[in-house]
């Protein structure tokens, strides 16, 4: 089986303006000059893509969008297409983040269409899945996540075009994380549904303190980091936790 190089990805969410975004991007690019064992990606807000892309040029740190519309262009006020992300210098697009599934009402079918759009534009799709607290407490985490995988990933996926991020909704921004045994169990279940070699990231309250333990798990191929990606030192500490 192909080696799965780990990926540490920062999802800046709806944070940063030009000044702090530029400082953060430069801080990441600067640190990425040091030897490291993982791929690196940052996903700033759309307004900063061009500027951050410029700051990252030559650093090896990839640029991603936080979402994309299924259509390539058209009368969709306020939306950004996968083709636009590609044109702005992105190589990756996050799709199906729980904050979009839950606050924007996105369904598995929507996420599937966005994944297809990302592939059409030549982007790697990072498909996010994860159970709610109620789902976890009902003992249904595995079924929920596998159901989201089945509904959100189009036929014909390849390990080159697809990354999955397991982000339990209750762990996002809360400081709570599943046990390492729970993470390993869900990742193994997800892996059974995917083409060989597909990378599976863990996301949800990853920080410099817990990163090494999580990233040491055989089934964890990297991290999708929210809050801690807004500080270059913390983001870099997580990257260094890859060994
Ligand atoms: P936090 O790292 O802030 O919990 O966010 C995780 C996340 O949602 C990344 O996409």
């Amino acid at each position: 089986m192909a080696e799965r190089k780990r990926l540490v990805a920062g999802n800046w969410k709806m944070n940063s303006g030009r000044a702090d975004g530029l400082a953060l991007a430069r801080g990441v690019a600067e640190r990425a000059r040091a030897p490291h064992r993982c791929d690196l990606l940052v996903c700033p807000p759309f307004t900063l893509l061009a500027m951050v892309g410029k700051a990252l040029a030559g650093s090896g740190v990839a640029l991603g969008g936080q979402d994309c519309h299924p259509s390539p262009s058209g009368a969709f006020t306020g939306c950004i297409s996968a083709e636009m992300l590609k044109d702005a210098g992105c190589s990756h697009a996050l799709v199906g983040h729980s904050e979009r599934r839950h606050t924007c009402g996105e369904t598995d079918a929507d996420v599937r269409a966005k994944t297809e759009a990302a592939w059409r534009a030549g982007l790697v799709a990072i498909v996010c899945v994860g159970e709610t607290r109620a789902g976890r407490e009902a003992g249904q985490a595995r079924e929920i996540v596998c159901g989201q995988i089945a509904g959100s990933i189009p036929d014909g996926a390849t390990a080159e075009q697809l990354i999955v991020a397991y982000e339990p909704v209750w762990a996002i921004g809360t400081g709570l994380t599943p046990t390492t045994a729970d993470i390993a169990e869900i990742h193994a279940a997800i892996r059974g549904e995917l083409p060989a070699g597909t990378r599976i990231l863990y996301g949800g309250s990853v920080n410099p303190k817990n990163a090494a333990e999580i990233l040491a798990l055989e089934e964890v191929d990297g991290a999708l980091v929210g809050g801690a990606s807004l500080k270059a030192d913390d983001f870099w500490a997580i990257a260094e936790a890859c060994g």
Side-chain angles (χ1 to χ4, degrees):
M1 194 193 291
E3 191 208 344
R4 306 187 311 264
K5 187 172 182 189
R6 282 174 290 180
L7 168 68
V8 174
N11 175 9
W12 293 7
K13 307 192 180 183
M14 197 173 74
N15 293 295
S16 295
R18 283 156 49 94
D20 53 330
L22 184 59
L24 177 54
R26 283 185 176 152
V28 171
E30 175 79 16
R31 284 161 183 77
R33 284 200 210 143
H36 53 281
R37 288 193 149 189
C38 58
D39 290 331
L40 293 166
L41 167 71
V42 296
C43 303
F46 296 137
T47 50
L48 300 184
L49 281 173
M51 189 194 72
V52 169
K54 216 168 164 183
L56 296 177
S59 70
V61 181
L63 185 70
Q66 296 178 14
D67 181 43
C68 66
H69 191 276
S71 295
S73 62
F76 302 103
T77 303
C79 300
I80 299 285
S81 71
E83 281 76 3
M84 289 169 164
L85 294 181
K86 181 78 177 176
D87 185 55
C90 293
S91 51
H92 294 68
L94 297 177
V95 293
H97 192 282
S98 72
E99 286 150 15
R100 298 204 59 89
R101 289 180 184 265
H102 295 283
T103 63
C104 306
E106 290 186 7
T107 63
D108 286 340
D110 295 327
V111 179
R112 187 183 174 102
K114 290 178 178 210
T115 305
E116 276 170 349
W119 293 349
R120 182 188 64 223
L123 300 172
V124 176
I126 303 181
V127 177
C128 305
V129 296
E131 82 285 358
T132 60
R133 180 186 297 276
R136 164 69 54 177
E137 285 171 355
Q140 291 173 343
R142 200 184 168 117
E143 290 73 9
I144 291 166
V145 165
C146 289
Q148 289 173 330
I149 295 279
S152 307
I153 296 177
D155 295 339
T158 66
E160 289 71 38
Q161 288 179 302
L162 176 68
I163 295 169
V164 167
Y166 169 52
E167 299 202 301
V169 179
W170 53 273
I172 295 176
T174 59
L176 303 172
T177 54
T179 64
T180 49
D182 286 341
I183 295 173
E185 187 210 327
I186 299 290
H187 277 231
I190 293 172
R191 189 164 306 289
E193 309 290 322
L194 300 178
T198 304
R199 290 186 284 184
I200 307 172
L201 314 181
Y202 169 77
S205 296
V206 177
N207 61 46
K209 289 204 176 94
N210 62 21
E213 190 184 26
I214 294 169
L215 289 164
L217 295 169
E218 168 62 27
E219 291 296 340
V220 173
D221 304 316
L224 181 55
V225 186
S229 73
L230 297 174
K231 288 191 183 142
D233 280 336
D234 287 358
F235 186 62
W236 184 247
I238 294 167
E240 283 191 311
C242 288

